[in-house]
Amino acid sequence: MNNYNAFLYEGDTLLINEFLILCELDAESFDLFDTKIKDIVNERIDNIHNDYGSYDVFDKTSKFLFNDLSKFESNKIEYFYSEVNSSSRQKVVLDIEFSGIFKIWFNKSILYIGTENRERKKFVLEISEGKNHILIEYVRQNGYNLARGFVQLYNYEDVQKGIVMPKLMDYLLKQGTLVVSKYSEEKHILEFMILDNRGETYDVHYYLYTSQCTIPARLEGMVKYTLDLKGLTAIDNIALFFDKSGERVNLVHIISQEQIDALILRAIEHTSKKDDAVRIQLLGIVEKLKKGYLTNERRFLLAAELQSILENEEYTSNREYYLSEIDNSVLEVNVRKPDDYNEAEQYPLILFLIDKEEVFFSDSVEGYREYFIADFFSGGLLGGGYVSEARILEVLNYIRGKYKIDENRIYLLGQSHSGYDVWTLIENYPDIAAAAYMISGYPYYPNIRNVSNIPIANIVSDRDYSYFDKTDSISKVLSASLYSQTNLHNIIHDALADFNMYPIMEFFHGKVGDPYPRTINFRTERNRYLSSFWISTYGILKSKNYLQVKAEAVSDRLIVVNVENADGFKITLPPHIDKKSFVIAVNEQEFRFSDYSKAEVSFKYCGGKYFEIKQWEEPIDYRKGTGLLDVYLAPLSIFVPRTEIMTELSIAFNFASPLSYSVINSLYVRYPIYYLDELSTSVLKGNLIFINVPDLGFYFDGTVEVPITAYNDHFTYKGENYYGEYCIMQVVPNPADNKYSILLINTNNNALLQRCIFTRKVMLPFMFNGFHDYYNNEGLIMYNKKYYGIYEWDDNLKEI
């Protein structure tokens, strides 16, 4: 808006990302139900062209291209103003999302009043020829770290045609009556107003949840109504039923923090009196209620559910809780069962990986009642891999274990950060899903051919930070027969990432996975991921940092395999192969088989060639490629010595509660920490971290081999001594089970634990970014104020 040039609307999608700050007022003067524009604000608007230089321009945007509102104080009201210039009168759709309390006026008519942490609305408007005014009144909510917002305009005709977002028109047609409400817990007073300035009247019924009674009323739009609810002191809900449309709108969910605290105390007291399933359920709901970001409706529903369990009353909920082996926490998955579910039948499953907790796909799907639909939040935004992967695989196993799921009809859905989760998951486990739907997430591009056999729908935009100049990168590699890409124009990341806008169920419907595709492409840099359908490899060759294989079942008597940098591999013969007589050609070398009785054929690399072997007997270095972070791919326990010095314990807390590099960097994971004298055989299973434990062999009967030996004044590696202060991180196999890992952290100066950037704070990288120069080593040493990495054991120390 330099020199005050209004945004020019020419019939295309328009991002409005510059505003004039008209003025700032104390929040004490804020009235939620006042829809009139204050005189001082009108004066500032009228004075813009005469005194433009006295106005600050607000145009701070992030890489997501939304406006970053974090700089504004929570005790102030901000007024943002922008103009849109149009050459003609035309219909548009306005798409707005703000975090905090806000009001928006268009051409001085109130459109909406928002009250939630993040609230998104869309409106059909008619813009006038010439200048059109957008005014936003904004109050940032205290303690909410994602203070942001965006405003976009879409061409109405394009919306009708499905060009902007395929199902946006369906969404607009379903929008109900807009109501704003406010409840005072202290005074027990409810105020509300129907946002409709057309002068209409509405015949309604008030509905009270506890008493199940209804009270008729006639209401007018844009009039504030007040209800005295002093008689309602229990958990209750007041809603409006609109007689004409049958629509229900919740006005208030009455539940005080004191009531929630009392319920939590009761629940904790009852955990010892209930059976395991109910105890886990109680603990799960308690953990959810402790989270501060829940909407009032979610808090109310959880509290009502908790009260029902405590009172042994019947209730209906899709929420399920289970005890996670990952960190001994109780996790929640929202499961919508098929109608008329029969335990003897198998059903397809759609797993939606939530990136914004409490936004459930299963709640928005009206049809497709023959599916299981599950919503799961993996505990944070990790962009695929590590803790996210471990929890996603665990919840899949939980659902499979409880319900009969058709293994060939499992579908994955992700948007925004969970879109990255889905891409990473299907690249590493190409046979995990029958189909996948991604909205605004990007793959790890070197391994993109791994998903060649999976039907994929992908939503991209040239203004989404995930893609920008890369919108055609995936479609150039993947076959159009299985890969479907919807290219949207000028739509930013946050506006793009909304599953309600896309035909997701229509895409999944009828797709069935094929466990034996004719052609397989697979590439990996990590020995954690070695299989693709009917090809399994045995690891990446020494000194190599990737392997790749292309296999094709050309006919019922010929399999052609081209393999690079693999220690060996196994073929599980597809059912159409004629075992009486077939040939496997490996890198142009032919192996002939007659009257073959086994289901598999294995090969080993030796002397520059591959040879058939009876079976693979050598251990696999599963830590290669994942390195130090391999411990975050499975259940994890942490051990520290019991000393008066608390440094080791503080570092243990860092590893027990790692962070991510996302906009929300906290992860909801708390790995258990033990003192060494609490160590027992039962806790030596899974992945382990030992901090400053001098003799690991003592705890494993001398069976663990540690490549770097730590002493008081030096450490030794490959027979060479390195004298001086050090902080060593190294990962080795757990002798109880080679598939699990032990991370050892040793130092001869505890102060280094606070100085080393990888122990003083643990930040898990996004796996889709590829190899991490520091973390993805099997050894990492801080020595003489420098960092040295060891990619795989027997490599020399390499300064990083």
Side-chain angles (χ1 to χ4, degrees), residues 36 117 220 240 284 320 401 429 463 550 640 708 776 783:
K36 294 181 180 179
N117 280 347
E220 296 180 19
L240 278 184
E320 297 187 16
Y429 302 94
R463 293 203 78 170
K550 181 177 181 180
V640 296
I708 305 174
N776 293 146
Y783 174 61

Side-chain angles (χ1 to χ4, degrees), residues 577-748:
I577 295 297
D578 184 357
K579 290 185 179 182
K580 291 183 179 180
S581 177
F582 66 96
V583 175
I584 298 178
V586 180
N587 293 355
E588 300 183 352
Q589 181 182 1
E590 291 188 354
F591 297 84
R592 297 183 176 274
F593 301 85
S594 299
D595 297 321
Y596 196 75
S597 59
K598 295 192 295 184
E600 302 165 343
V601 184
S602 292
F603 296 87
K604 181 179 180 180
Y605 183 82
C606 185
K609 293 183 178 182
Y610 287 93
F611 296 88
E612 184 198 354
I613 59 174
K614 290 184 178 179
Q615 64 181 38
W616 187 266
E617 296 179 345
E618 298 178 19
I620 296 173
D621 177 12
Y622 288 107
R623 287 136 291 278
K624 182 170 179 175
T626 49
L628 305 173
L629 297 182
D630 194 76
V631 292
Y632 287 112
L633 282 164
L636 173 63
S637 301
I638 303 172
F639 294 88
V640 296
R642 192 188 292 270
T643 64
E644 294 181 3
I645 301 173
M646 301 299 289
T647 307
E648 289 97 341
L649 190 57
S650 67
I651 299 304
F653 282 123
N654 294 341
F655 282 88
S657 304
L659 305 172
S660 82
Y661 285 101
S662 177
V663 290
I664 303 177
N665 66 2
S666 58
L667 302 175
Y668 290 103
V669 61
R670 300 291 182 270
Y671 296 101
I673 300 173
Y674 301 94
Y675 287 114
L676 280 174
D677 54 21
E678 298 173 316
L679 195 152
S680 64
T681 304
S682 61
V683 296
L684 287 178
K685 299 175 182 177
N687 289 338
L688 310 169
I689 296 178
F690 288 90
I691 301 174
N692 265 354
V693 178
D695 184 11
L696 196 64
F698 174 80
Y699 302 99
F700 290 91
D701 299 324
T703 59
V704 62
E705 295 183 10
V706 180
I708 305 174
T709 306
Y711 299 95
N712 288 336
D713 59 347
H714 72 285
F715 67 89
T716 301
Y717 177 62
K718 291 179 65 176
E720 187 171 346
N721 296 325
Y722 296 85
Y723 288 89
E725 294 182 344
Y726 59 78
C727 181
I728 300 168
M729 301 171 67
Q730 57 183 315
V731 63
V732 297
N734 187 330
D737 188 337
N738 179 56
K739 286 189 176 181
Y740 292 108
S741 299
I742 301 175
L743 173 60
L744 305 172
I745 303 170
N746 294 96
T747 182
N748 57 357

